[in-house]
Amino acid sequence: MHKASSLSELGFDAGGASSGFFRPVADGCPATPTSSAVPHRRLTKISVVGAGNVGMAIAQTILTQNLADEIALVDALPDKLRGEALDLQHAAAFLPRVRIASGTDAAVTKNSDLVIVTAGARQIPGETRLNLLQRNVALYRKIVPPVAEHSPDALLLVVSNPVDVLTYVAWKLSGFPASRVIGSGTNLDSSRFRFLIAEHLDVNAQDVQAYMVGEHGDSSVAIWSSISVGGMPAFKSLRDSHRSFDEAALEGIRRAVVGGAYEVIGLKGYTSWAIGYSVASLAASLLRDQRRVHPVSVLASGFHGISDGHEVFLSLPARLGRGGILGVAEMDLTEAEAAQLRRSAKTLWENCQLLDL
């Protein structure tokens, strides 16, 4: 007896099936179908701009997970950059064969499939948020246009903070369609959220579905209504079995997630490993066309009541593949969650308006 290998063989029309779950971003390019009959495997190149603690943790994780055939490192400090490149090259006998290039000029990124930007100005004590943003815009004016020129077909992944505003800046400066400009957003925040729930329930974090959305920062929104464990809705069960799960407790958990990075920075001086794994997971979903859903910073105009006229980037669950953002999930939010998301969008939009881009 023939066994069906897909729903289409059982009589279900597969055409456009995902459209009921995902919607394209405002100016995204249509997703291109992938071919299974590629005669020769094309080499994959990833460039990391910024060789600080975060950039090198990302490069090291990408290297050990064998996600690229070539990694290009770019930084303004030539001696440190050469030292970091040599340190990775000296491990060649223990790692997959990967070419590692480095340079202070964007030319080294030429023909990249994915460019990851971690470079950013650090806040000076007493400096205003606006002044920090303006210094980062000035830095991005030097980084993004040359990178876009050398790799006009690349995907651009922004990690520098404030990531949502800088993703907007990168989109404006690159001239790329919004579907190819992505911010790391709340991918790591959501991992921290899942970890806390998993620890509480004594399950593996991979079996927990839970999202932080909106700004990667103080106004991020915990989507309690959609939490599931092993495919089962979990929020009602948590509340029924734990009377302590009142509004104050939920806000405390949200703040613990938001403050997770600050705690790590306070203890070791910086964050690196978790963001390295987070970004590597995004790189794998993008370059291997895995169609996985990640909460990342995308052009959110028109979603959940956010004005079509507000070109604001914030995190929403998005399906990622070789074409970048292939669609954004149509979440079923409570009115309170949607209102919080719109407030988060308003804060980000006001910051973007101050940048004169």
Side-chain angles (χ1 to χ4, degrees):
M1 179 179 175
H2 174 70
K3 293 183 179 180
S5 60
S6 68
L7 288 182
S8 60
E9 292 186 18
L10 294 173
F12 292 91
D13 182 11
S18 66
S19 62
F21 296 94
F22 301 97
R23 184 153 59 94
V25 292
D27 77 336
C29 293
T32 53
T34 54
S35 171
S36 59
V38 180
H40 300 290
R41 188 177 77 85
R42 183 179 173 280
L43 299 183
T44 301
K45 179 175 180 178
I46 299 176
S47 292
V48 180
V49 181
N53 295 318
V54 170
M56 291 313 301
I58 291 169
Q60 188 268 347
T61 311
I62 286 170
L63 180 62
T64 56
Q65 292 187 4
N66 197 20
L67 297 178
D69 300 289
E70 179 176 355
I71 297 175
L73 305 174
V74 182
D75 198 272
L77 302 175
D79 289 345
K80 181 182 188 305
L81 181 63
R82 177 165 168 73
E84 294 286 10
L86 284 172
D87 210 6
L88 290 179
Q89 289 168 341
H90 292 170
F94 317 113
L95 294 168
R97 185 174 182 272
V98 178
R99 179 175 183 269
I100 298 172
S102 64
T104 57
D105 190 278
V108 75
T109 68
K110 186 177 178 61
N111 294 328
S112 293
D113 297 283
L114 174 66
V115 178
I116 302 169
V117 184
T118 71
R122 291 190 177 185
Q123 192 162 15
I124 300 168
E127 183 178 29
T128 65
R129 179 181 175 87
L130 176 58
N131 191 60
L132 175 62
L133 279 174
Q134 289 171 335
R135 288 201 296 124
N136 271 309
V137 170
L139 180 62
Y140 265 50
R141 287 188 189 278
K142 297 177 183 177
I143 293 172
V144 175
V147 161
E149 181 181 351
H150 286 295
S151 302
D153 298 319
L155 300 172
L156 192 56
L157 177 55
V158 177
V159 181
S160 320
N161 281 316
V163 67
D164 302 295
V165 177
L166 290 180
T167 305
Y168 166 82
V169 171
W171 173 54
K172 287 292 188 181
L173 294 177
S174 67
F176 286 2
S179 56
R180 289 202 281 123
V181 182
I182 306 143
S184 56
T186 58
N187 196 52
L188 178 51
D189 305 70
S190 296
S191 175
R192 291 178 177 130
F193 192 22
R194 293 166 66 184
F195 163 75
L196 289 176
I197 295 167
E199 285 290 290
H200 182 72
L201 297 177
D202 192 25
V203 297
N204 192 305
Q206 292 184 348
D207 293 317
V208 176
Q209 282 290 321
Y211 290 119
M212 299 289 291
V213 300
E215 179 196 16
H216 171 61
D218 295 341
S219 70
S220 62
V221 183
I223 307 301
W224 290 100
S225 63
S226 67
I227 292 175
S228 67
V229 177
M232 298 178 292
F235 184 50
K236 185 178 184 301
S237 176
L238 282 170
R239 277 204 146 165
D240 289 346
S241 59
H242 298 76
R243 296 192 178 188
S244 59
F245 270 78
D246 56 14
E247 292 302 322
L250 300 184
E251 176 60 14
I253 294 169
R254 189 195 73 85
R255 288 190 176 277
V257 172
V258 171
Y262 299 121
E263 182 180 9
V264 174
I265 292 168
L267 292 168
K268 62 177 272 191
Y270 56 90
T271 61
S272 57
W273 299 120
I275 187 63
Y277 281 104
S278 173
V279 173
S281 76
L282 298 177
S285 291
L286 291 164
L287 296 180
R288 291 180 174 171
D289 201 37
Q290 291 182 341
R291 311 297 172 108
R292 289 190 61 194
V293 176
H294 294 266
V296 289
S297 193
V298 300
L299 181 62
S301 307
F303 288 96
H304 302 291
I306 298 170
S307 171
D308 289 331
H310 287 184
E311 294 177 330
V312 61
F313 278 73
L314 51 72
S315 285
L316 294 170
R319 184 173 55 145
L320 304 185
R322 192 60 188 82
I325 303 291
L326 304 182
V328 177
E330 299 274 22
M331 292 187 297
D332 187 13
L333 303 181
T334 66
E335 184 48 46
E337 290 167 345
Q340 289 175 318
L341 183 64
R342 288 191 290 270
R343 283 196 294 271
S344 188
K346 184 174 182 291
T347 299
L348 291 167
W349 174 243
E350 289 170 351
N351 284 328
C352 290
Q353 288 299 99
L354 298 172
L355 300 178
D356 191 29
L357 286 173

